[in-house]
Amino acid sequence: MPINIQEILNETQGKNFDIFEKHINPVFTKVLRLIGFNRSWVRGEGSYLWDKSGTRYLDFLANWGVFNVGRRHPTIRNALQQVLDSDFPGWVGFDAPPLAAVLARELTKRTPGNLDTVYFCNSGTEAIEAAIKFARASTGRSCSVHLTKAFHGLTTGALSLNGEASFRRGFEPLLSGNFAVEPGDLDALEARLSKGDVACFVFEPIQGKGVNILSNEYLLSAQNLCRKYKTLMICDEIQSGMGRSGQFLACQWIEGLHPDIICLSKALSGGYVPLGATITRREIYNSVYDSMDRAIVHACTFGMGNLAMAAGLSALTVLDDENLLARSNETGERFRKGIEKMVPRFEFLKGVRQRGMMIGIEFGKPDSISLKAAWAMVNKIDENLFAQAVVIPLLDDHHILTQVAGHAVPIVKILPPLNIKDSDVDWFLNALEDVMVKLHKFPGPAWEVLMKIGNHALTIKQRENSSTTT
Ligand SMILES: Cc1ncc(COP(=O)(O)O)c(C=O)c1O
């Protein structure tokens, strides 16, 4: 008997948090309840989500940058439907799947330098794992250098390159021989590379944490150093790629920057099927698969599946058909101008970091005495709290999903689909304006909600501290 998915969804509507809490992750549900993200979603389309009451939301979280072409895109669905309806076999295992070959060819056409070879996997972190292994095999070295505040995934190898101690805590020791340097600090980079044991320098051209746009000068100088000391450059485009930055890849904003390995995932899947890719040069790839008995020495069972490959091919088509690189730049600029116009009017609002549709809104210490006291008070409780004071009312009062851009950074990040309407931009800008007006009234109702959450966070923190000290 076929199962009735809609029936399961109907039956669990409104109860999903309870069931999830019982059988999956109760700590996560606690966080979601605290910040008001405990909604029951019933529908998603384009840049919108609907909850069970029929309320429409603007999804600028986009599953951390997966939905560059929006949800339920007809072109992606059509390609997937064709695969489902076809009797063409996937995952034969001992095979050279044609859709994978074509997607690899299409990807290498769009990447800078002479990258001509692709390894496919199922997630961002796996794409990074492959890149680390490829760099080690190709250079015969084992060390790597990453940047502070970096995020490259959470499997053990990728976690070794994480620039945030809180992610690594409890799982160490990880891979040995990983070193962090500050973005911009070329002396520190050279000091480490000059030891001659570094296989790879791994970076996000725009760091997801804080939307930190690395400068052209820094990355070109880092490339010179990597060439000088024979270290491979691994460019993590998992969040910034697929048109997010207004170029196909964010590294393409920098003329002459030619990474040796580029990792893609998230939006590459078109939003339905997990997919990751590690794109490199033939000689690097061949250093891994260097003999017949090592022909699949790095592989994964579910790599190169027909659904994932069709999703990837159709996602590339949508980028072209809808002219999404240009739209990403135009719409991103609309956001930037709108936010910049507000900066002089709101003391907490400090500026905007934007490239295409990767956008960080910066907050900081105000000038007036009463607001300064409010700022000091929330930051004393929790350094994440102020940004939550923006995220929570954007959701509660204006039905917009956004996120805090990492631990202890007063930055709210938005990653809207690249094909949103101008009216969606206006929806967001009007909402941000309203949230700012309310937060600049201290004391006031916006601060009361914040203090309630802050006290709760404080209790959790105290409990954690006491459990780590006993
Ligand atoms: C820049 C970057 N690299 C790697 C990853 C890891 O990707 P995944 O969650 O698919 O493993 C992420 C995920 O957020 C990311 O933003």
Side-chain angles (χ1 to χ4, degrees):
M1 193 176 77
I3 62 160
N4 188 330
I5 296 292
Q6 194 54 53
E7 211 170 86
I8 298 173
L9 294 175
N10 293 344
E11 277 169 8
T12 51
Q13 207 181 85
K15 302 181 205 135
N16 51 317
F17 271 72
D18 296 335
I19 307 170
F20 186 98
E21 180 168 78
K22 194 154 176 216
H23 299 287
I24 302 183
N25 186 342
V27 177
F28 191 42
T29 50
K30 195 181 229 169
V31 171
L32 295 174
R33 285 193 165 109
L34 184 64
I35 60 175
F37 274 67
N38 52 330
R39 321 255 153 170
S40 263
W41 305 114
V42 295
R43 194 180 149 211
E45 178 118 29
S47 51
Y48 310 117
L49 290 168
W50 283 262
D51 70 11
K52 66 178 165 43
S53 73
T55 305
R56 188 172 66 136
Y57 294 70
L58 200 46
D59 181 12
F60 282 2
L61 176 59
N63 194 29
W64 295 286
V66 164
F67 292 103
N68 285 15
V69 302
R71 287 172 195 270
R72 275 191 103 236
H73 196 288
T75 305
I76 316 278
R77 268 171 45 220
N78 178 279
L80 293 175
Q81 204 60 59
Q82 287 181 50
V83 174
L84 288 175
D85 291 343
S86 149
D87 56 8
F88 185 76
W91 290 324
V92 175
F94 287 131
D95 188 25
L99 293 180
V102 175
L103 179 57
R105 188 179 67 197
E106 289 306 310
L107 285 174
T108 57
K109 272 191 208 159
R110 292 156 200 260
T111 44
N114 47 355
L115 307 190
D116 53 7
T117 309
V118 183
Y119 168 78
F120 285 115
C121 54
N122 309 291
S123 65
T125 199
E126 270 185 274
I128 294 288
E129 294 292 336
I132 297 169
K133 283 177 77 178
F134 285 16
R136 285 177 158 213
S138 167
T139 60
R141 301 170 176 181
S142 62
C143 296
S144 56
V145 174
H146 62 273
L147 296 173
T148 52
K149 301 198 167 56
F151 187 93
H152 299 293
L154 296 177
T155 50
T156 327
L159 186 58
S160 311
L161 311 175
N162 198 298
E164 178 69 57
S166 66
F167 276 111
R168 295 195 307 268
R169 197 180 40 161
F171 305 111
E172 290 170 313
L174 298 166
L175 286 185
S176 59
N178 295 297
F179 303 93
V181 295
E182 282 287 329
D185 188 346
L186 288 163
D187 292 340
L189 181 61
E190 178 151 28
R192 199 61 205 73
L193 297 190
S194 64
K195 294 188 195 301
D197 57 1
V198 180
C200 52
F201 167 59
V202 190
F203 67 97
E204 300 150 84
I206 305 174
Q207 292 189 302
K209 177 162 176 171
V211 191
N212 184 21
I213 304 171
L214 303 188
S215 77
N216 295 12
E217 299 71 36
Y218 172 65
L219 284 178
L220 288 171
S221 303
Q223 175 169 266
N224 286 341
L225 291 175
C226 286
R227 301 285 188 262
K228 181 171 166 190
Y229 296 108
K230 303 196 179 339
T231 293
L232 297 183
M233 274 192 124
I234 299 177
C235 180
D236 179 342
E237 295 271 5
I238 289 162
Q239 191 168 131
S240 56
M242 292 297 288
R244 169 61 55 197
S245 77
Q247 295 271 5
F248 179 62
L249 302 170
C251 67
Q252 288 170 310
W253 280 107
I254 307 175
E255 212 183 311
L257 186 66
H258 295 150
D260 302 286
I261 302 177
I262 293 173
C263 296
L264 276 176
S265 188
K266 291 194 189 274
L268 176 59
S269 78
Y272 275 94
V273 193
L275 174 57
T278 306
I279 310 169
T280 189
R281 277 195 305 279
R282 171 57 56 203
E283 86 262 13
I284 294 173
Y285 189 90
N286 284 359
S287 68
V288 178
Y289 306 93
D290 57 356
S291 63
M292 299 243 280
D293 63 336
R294 289 170 62 83
I296 49 171
V297 72
H298 185 74
C300 55
T301 306
F302 289 115
M304 301 188 285
N306 286 337
L307 286 169
M309 298 301 110
L313 282 166
S314 51
L316 293 179
T317 308
V318 177
L319 287 187
D320 292 343
D321 288 353
E322 296 187 12
N323 201 15
L324 289 188
L325 305 192
R327 281 177 72 179
S328 173
N329 285 313
E330 283 159 21
T331 314
E333 200 164 311
R334 243 179 111 89
F335 275 112
R336 183 173 53 74
K337 284 187 177 154
I339 298 164
E340 276 174 355
K341 230 162 95 186
M342 287 181 221
V343 171
R345 287 186 296 129
F346 297 116
E347 291 183 47
F348 286 122
L349 186 58
K350 298 299 176 188
V352 55
R353 302 170 179 189
Q354 173 260 338
R355 190 152 277 174
M357 293 281 260
M358 196 156 173
I359 300 168
I361 304 155
E362 295 175 68
F363 301 97
K365 200 170 166 184
D367 296 324
S368 62
I369 291 173
S370 70
L371 292 183
K372 242 188 219 163
W375 177 260
M377 182 182 70
V378 287
N379 279 288
K380 197 167 162 211
I381 297 172
D382 190 316
E383 286 164 303
N384 296 303
L385 205 53
F386 187 84
Q388 290 293 7
V390 180
V391 167
I392 292 168
L394 278 176
L395 181 68
D396 277 351
D397 303 340
H398 300 280
H399 308 136
I400 304 174
L401 282 79
T402 58
Q403 67 175 118
V404 178
H407 294 303
V409 284
I411 294 174
V412 169
K413 179 161 72 174
I414 57 169
L415 298 170
L418 312 183
N419 49 6
I420 58 168
K421 301 190 201 102
D422 286 351
S423 55
D424 293 334
V425 181
D426 296 340
W427 178 349
F428 177 81
L429 291 174
N430 290 335
L432 182 65
E433 162 115 19
D434 180 65
V435 171
M436 284 298 101
V437 167
K438 288 179 177 150
L439 273 171
H440 283 74
K441 284 183 191 137
F442 176 75
W447 290 89
E448 278 160 29
V449 176
L450 194 60
M451 289 319 292
K452 220 162 84 190
I453 290 165
N455 287 333
H456 202 93
L458 199 60
T459 322
I460 294 170
K461 226 195 238 171
Q462 279 162 349
R463 220 179 289 137
E464 275 174 5
N465 287 345
S466 62
S467 67
T468 47
T469 48
T470 49

mmCIF file of all heavy atoms in Angstrom, residues 61 73 89-90 120 124 129 135 161 220 238 243 260 274 290 357 362 406 408 411:
data_model
loop_
_atom_site.group_PDB
_atom_site.id
_atom_site.type_symbol
_atom_site.label_atom_id
_atom_site.label_comp_id
_atom_site.label_asym_id
_atom_site.label_seq_id
_atom_site.Cartn_x
_atom_site.Cartn_y
_atom_site.Cartn_z
ATOM 1 N N LEU A 61 16.486 33.260 5.224
ATOM 2 C CA LEU A 61 17.470 32.340 5.798
ATOM 3 C C LEU A 61 17.855 31.350 4.689
ATOM 4 O O LEU A 61 19.039 31.020 4.516
ATOM 5 C CB LEU A 61 16.823 31.625 6.989
ATOM 6 C CG LEU A 61 17.556 30.540 7.733
ATOM 7 C CD1 LEU A 61 18.852 31.058 8.315
ATOM 8 C CD2 LEU A 61 16.678 29.985 8.866
ATOM 9 N N HIS A 73 11.246 25.392 -7.523
ATOM 10 C CA HIS A 73 11.422 26.002 -8.851
ATOM 11 C C HIS A 73 10.944 25.019 -9.926
ATOM 12 O O HIS A 73 11.354 23.859 -9.938
ATOM 13 C CB HIS A 73 12.884 26.373 -9.072
ATOM 14 C CG HIS A 73 13.031 27.318 -10.208
ATOM 15 N ND1 HIS A 73 12.854 26.912 -11.517
ATOM 16 C CD2 HIS A 73 13.268 28.649 -10.251
ATOM 17 C CE1 HIS A 73 13.000 27.962 -12.306
ATOM 18 N NE2 HIS A 73 13.241 29.027 -11.570
ATOM 19 N N PRO A 89 18.884 3.689 -15.212
ATOM 20 C CA PRO A 89 19.344 3.297 -13.874
ATOM 21 C C PRO A 89 20.427 4.224 -13.324
ATOM 22 O O PRO A 89 21.316 4.658 -14.053
ATOM 23 C CB PRO A 89 19.925 1.899 -14.106
ATOM 24 C CG PRO A 89 20.427 1.948 -15.511
ATOM 25 C CD PRO A 89 19.535 2.884 -16.268
ATOM 26 N N GLY A 90 20.318 4.508 -12.049
ATOM 27 C CA GLY A 90 21.378 5.258 -11.379
ATOM 28 C C GLY A 90 22.115 4.334 -10.434
ATOM 29 O O GLY A 90 21.674 3.211 -10.181
ATOM 30 N N PHE A 120 32.299 14.412 -7.159
ATOM 31 C CA PHE A 120 30.963 14.709 -6.627
ATOM 32 C C PHE A 120 30.705 13.978 -5.312
ATOM 33 O O PHE A 120 31.078 12.807 -5.150
ATOM 34 C CB PHE A 120 29.873 14.289 -7.617
ATOM 35 C CG PHE A 120 29.747 15.213 -8.794
ATOM 36 C CD1 PHE A 120 30.037 14.763 -10.075
ATOM 37 C CD2 PHE A 120 29.338 16.528 -8.622
ATOM 38 C CE1 PHE A 120 29.917 15.606 -11.166
ATOM 39 C CE2 PHE A 120 29.226 17.387 -9.709
ATOM 40 C CZ PHE A 120 29.515 16.922 -10.982
ATOM 41 N N GLY A 124 28.509 19.966 1.700
ATOM 42 C CA GLY A 124 29.634 20.888 1.717
ATOM 43 C C GLY A 124 30.830 20.308 2.464
ATOM 44 O O GLY A 124 31.964 20.367 2.002
ATOM 45 N N GLU A 129 36.298 17.754 2.771
ATOM 46 C CA GLU A 129 37.099 16.559 3.121
ATOM 47 C C GLU A 129 37.883 16.081 1.895
ATOM 48 O O GLU A 129 39.062 15.755 1.989
ATOM 49 C CB GLU A 129 36.197 15.416 3.609
ATOM 50 C CG GLU A 129 35.467 15.660 4.911
ATOM 51 C CD GLU A 129 36.371 15.723 6.130
ATOM 52 O OE1 GLU A 129 37.482 15.168 6.107
ATOM 53 O OE2 GLU A 129 35.951 16.363 7.109
ATOM 54 N N ALA A 135 44.666 17.673 -1.588
ATOM 55 C CA ALA A 135 45.843 18.527 -1.369
ATOM 56 C C ALA A 135 46.964 17.729 -0.704
ATOM 57 O O ALA A 135 48.142 17.883 -1.048
ATOM 58 C CB ALA A 135 45.459 19.732 -0.517
ATOM 59 N N LEU A 161 39.484 22.684 10.495
ATOM 60 C CA LEU A 161 39.758 23.989 9.868
ATOM 61 C C LEU A 161 38.770 25.048 10.344
ATOM 62 O O LEU A 161 38.651 26.103 9.740
ATOM 63 C CB LEU A 161 39.625 23.866 8.341
ATOM 64 C CG LEU A 161 40.354 22.720 7.653
ATOM 65 C CD1 LEU A 161 40.017 22.687 6.173
ATOM 66 C CD2 LEU A 161 41.858 22.869 7.834
ATOM 67 N N LEU A 220 45.143 37.979 -3.532
ATOM 68 C CA LEU A 220 46.160 37.849 -4.592
ATOM 69 C C LEU A 220 47.551 37.669 -3.979
ATOM 70 O O LEU A 220 48.357 36.861 -4.470
ATOM 71 C CB LEU A 220 46.121 39.069 -5.518
ATOM 72 C CG LEU A 220 44.887 39.113 -6.442
ATOM 73 C CD1 LEU A 220 44.789 40.441 -7.167
ATOM 74 C CD2 LEU A 220 44.881 37.947 -7.439
ATOM 75 N N ILE A 238 31.060 27.206 -0.984
ATOM 76 C CA ILE A 238 29.853 26.447 -0.645
ATOM 77 C C ILE A 238 28.677 27.378 -0.358
ATOM 78 O O ILE A 238 27.548 27.102 -0.756
ATOM 79 C CB ILE A 238 30.180 25.488 0.529
ATOM 80 C CG1 ILE A 238 31.098 24.373 -0.010
ATOM 81 C CG2 ILE A 238 28.922 24.930 1.194
ATOM 82 C CD1 ILE A 238 31.855 23.603 1.040
ATOM 83 N N GLY A 243 26.206 32.070 -7.902
ATOM 84 C CA GLY A 243 25.579 33.364 -8.155
ATOM 85 C C GLY A 243 25.265 34.187 -6.919
ATOM 86 O O GLY A 243 24.872 35.343 -7.022
ATOM 87 N N ASP A 260 43.427 26.402 -6.726
ATOM 88 C CA ASP A 260 43.738 25.071 -7.265
ATOM 89 C C ASP A 260 42.558 24.121 -7.087
ATOM 90 O O ASP A 260 42.430 23.147 -7.828
ATOM 91 C CB ASP A 260 44.959 24.495 -6.532
ATOM 92 C CG ASP A 260 46.153 25.425 -6.666
ATOM 93 O OD1 ASP A 260 46.725 25.467 -7.759
ATOM 94 O OD2 ASP A 260 46.475 26.138 -5.682
ATOM 95 N N PRO A 274 20.563 16.755 -1.896
ATOM 96 C CA PRO A 274 21.914 17.133 -1.452
ATOM 97 C C PRO A 274 22.949 16.893 -2.558
ATOM 98 O O PRO A 274 22.849 15.910 -3.291
ATOM 99 C CB PRO A 274 22.181 16.191 -0.276
ATOM 100 C CG PRO A 274 20.859 15.675 0.134
ATOM 101 C CD PRO A 274 19.983 15.696 -1.079
ATOM 102 N N ASP A 290 45.849 7.172 -8.545
ATOM 103 C CA ASP A 290 47.108 7.077 -9.282
ATOM 104 C C ASP A 290 47.438 5.680 -9.801
ATOM 105 O O ASP A 290 48.492 5.464 -10.380
ATOM 106 C CB ASP A 290 48.266 7.621 -8.429
ATOM 107 C CG ASP A 290 48.395 6.892 -7.100
ATOM 108 O OD1 ASP A 290 47.547 6.027 -6.806
ATOM 109 O OD2 ASP A 290 49.338 7.197 -6.359
ATOM 110 N N MET A 357 23.905 39.073 -3.282
ATOM 111 C CA MET A 357 22.835 38.824 -2.306
ATOM 112 C C MET A 357 23.377 38.133 -1.055
ATOM 113 O O MET A 357 22.656 37.394 -0.384
ATOM 114 C CB MET A 357 21.740 38.000 -2.954
ATOM 115 C CG MET A 357 21.026 38.777 -4.039
ATOM 116 S SD MET A 357 19.837 39.935 -3.364
ATOM 117 C CE MET A 357 18.365 38.962 -3.612
ATOM 118 N N GLU A 362 25.316 45.382 9.978
ATOM 119 C CA GLU A 362 26.181 45.538 11.157
ATOM 120 C C GLU A 362 25.541 46.430 12.206
ATOM 121 O O GLU A 362 25.040 47.515 11.877
ATOM 122 C CB GLU A 362 27.485 46.225 10.765
ATOM 123 C CG GLU A 362 28.361 45.460 9.836
ATOM 124 C CD GLU A 362 29.553 46.330 9.437
ATOM 125 O OE1 GLU A 362 30.395 46.607 10.306
ATOM 126 O OE2 GLU A 362 29.613 46.746 8.269
ATOM 127 N N GLY A 406 26.668 34.289 13.120
ATOM 128 C CA GLY A 406 27.762 33.618 13.835
ATOM 129 C C GLY A 406 27.773 33.979 15.298
ATOM 130 O O GLY A 406 27.019 34.848 15.738
ATOM 131 N N ALA A 408 28.688 35.595 18.717
ATOM 132 C CA ALA A 408 29.249 36.824 19.274
ATOM 133 C C ALA A 408 29.618 37.872 18.225
ATOM 134 O O ALA A 408 30.605 38.572 18.361
ATOM 135 C CB ALA A 408 30.461 36.489 20.141
ATOM 136 N N ILE A 411 25.898 41.021 13.982
ATOM 137 C CA ILE A 411 25.587 41.137 12.560
ATOM 138 C C ILE A 411 24.438 40.189 12.228
ATOM 139 O O ILE A 411 24.454 39.022 12.626
ATOM 140 C CB ILE A 411 26.838 40.790 11.709
ATOM 141 C CG1 ILE A 411 27.922 41.847 11.947
ATOM 142 C CG2 ILE A 411 26.501 40.676 10.217
ATOM 143 C CD1 ILE A 411 29.222 41.574 11.299
#
